[in-house]
Amino acid sequence: VPDNCIQDFCVANLNSSISVNGFPCKPDAEVTSHDFFFDGFSKEGNTTNVFGSRVTPGNVLTFPGLNTLGISMNRVDFAPGGLNPPHSHPRASETGVVIQGKLLVGFITTGNVYHSKVLTAGQMFVVPKGLVHFQLNVGEGKAHAFTAFNSHLPGAAVLPLNLFASAPAIPNGVLTKAFQVEDDVINAIKSKFGS
Ligand code: GLV
Ligand code: MN
């Protein structure tokens, strides 16, 4: 067994034709210091969208050096009033720290208990694995936070987009029954997301 059988790192080869549940490693000879540093968080994300927020991911797809290490981060920017909409991460717990502004941070347990707090710079939160959560900018100005995950690719199921902007669309009959409303309400919501 070669002594590099368990490796210090496995910088992702994002272009491999090998299909596994993850990315294979770049050959050692091709690994450079560049693979272990990521510049993507130095700029504010563009919050000009319906939600008024932007998640900039620092995960294995943007920062291949994270591959197999079980960690990643996001930068999340908020316009005044901006919302990072209710979503869940199927593969990770999340922790985060507010850097600027004032955020209402909330999550809902599988027992439908809602936990929330308004956080300002320097304050931290945790969202247990898989639970639905959001952050809303309740301050006067912009806000931003950094979040961290115990997965190199936590995934995100964004509820409004999952339910109302999937392709192909979920049949209205499912959504009218689930939310106990008429077709026009479902159509109005779907139309907001361009479907
Ligand atoms: C915030 O909830 C994030 O997923 O970065
Ligand atoms: Mn999240």
Side-chain angles (χ1 to χ4, degrees):
V1 178
D3 67 2
N4 64 351
C5 180
I6 297 288
Q7 303 163 119
D8 287 346
F9 54 78
C10 169
V11 175
N13 174 357
L14 300 178
N15 304 311
S16 172
S17 57
I18 299 169
S19 173
V20 293
N21 187 11
F23 295 106
C25 318
K26 259 188 169 182
D28 261 352
E30 291 174 21
V31 171
T32 70
S33 295
H34 281 298
D35 290 311
F36 302 109
F37 299 92
F38 175 64
D39 275 347
F41 290 163
S42 48
K43 287 199 309 270
E44 185 180 321
N46 180 355
T47 59
T48 307
N49 56 62
V50 288
F51 297 125
S53 73
R54 173 71 60 180
V55 173
T56 303
N59 60 35
V60 69
L61 299 177
T62 54
F63 186 2
L66 295 175
N67 196 37
T68 74
L69 298 181
I71 53 172
S72 59
M73 296 182 75
N74 288 339
R75 172 178 174 144
V76 193
D77 285 281
F78 302 83
L83 173 71
N84 185 15
H87 64 278
S88 79
H89 304 288
R91 293 183 289 277
S93 295
E94 170 176 333
T95 186
V97 60
V98 177
I99 304 298
Q100 177 198 16
K102 196 175 178 185
L103 294 179
L104 170 65
V105 176
F107 71 85
I108 306 93
T109 70
T110 55
N112 303 324
V113 177
Y114 170 54
H115 295 286
S116 73
K117 183 173 174 169
V118 173
L119 302 187
T120 56
Q123 294 186 297
M124 200 170 164
F125 63 89
V126 63
V127 178
K129 182 173 183 169
L131 298 186
V132 173
H133 62 284
F134 65 84
Q135 301 95 25
L136 175 67
N137 183 358
V138 293
E140 301 285 311
K142 294 175 181 177
H144 73 278
F146 287 100
T147 52
F149 304 87
N150 59 335
S151 166
H152 66 227
L153 191 61
V158 181
L159 270 56
L161 302 180
N162 257 213
L163 293 174
F164 298 103
S166 65
I170 299 173
N172 274 19
V174 173
L175 298 170
T176 53
K177 193 77 173 172
F179 291 105
Q180 298 288 295
V181 294
E182 301 301 320
D183 269 302
D184 56 336
V185 175
I186 300 301
N187 290 335
I189 299 173
K190 282 182 171 174
S191 72
K192 300 283 182 192
F193 301 114
S195 69

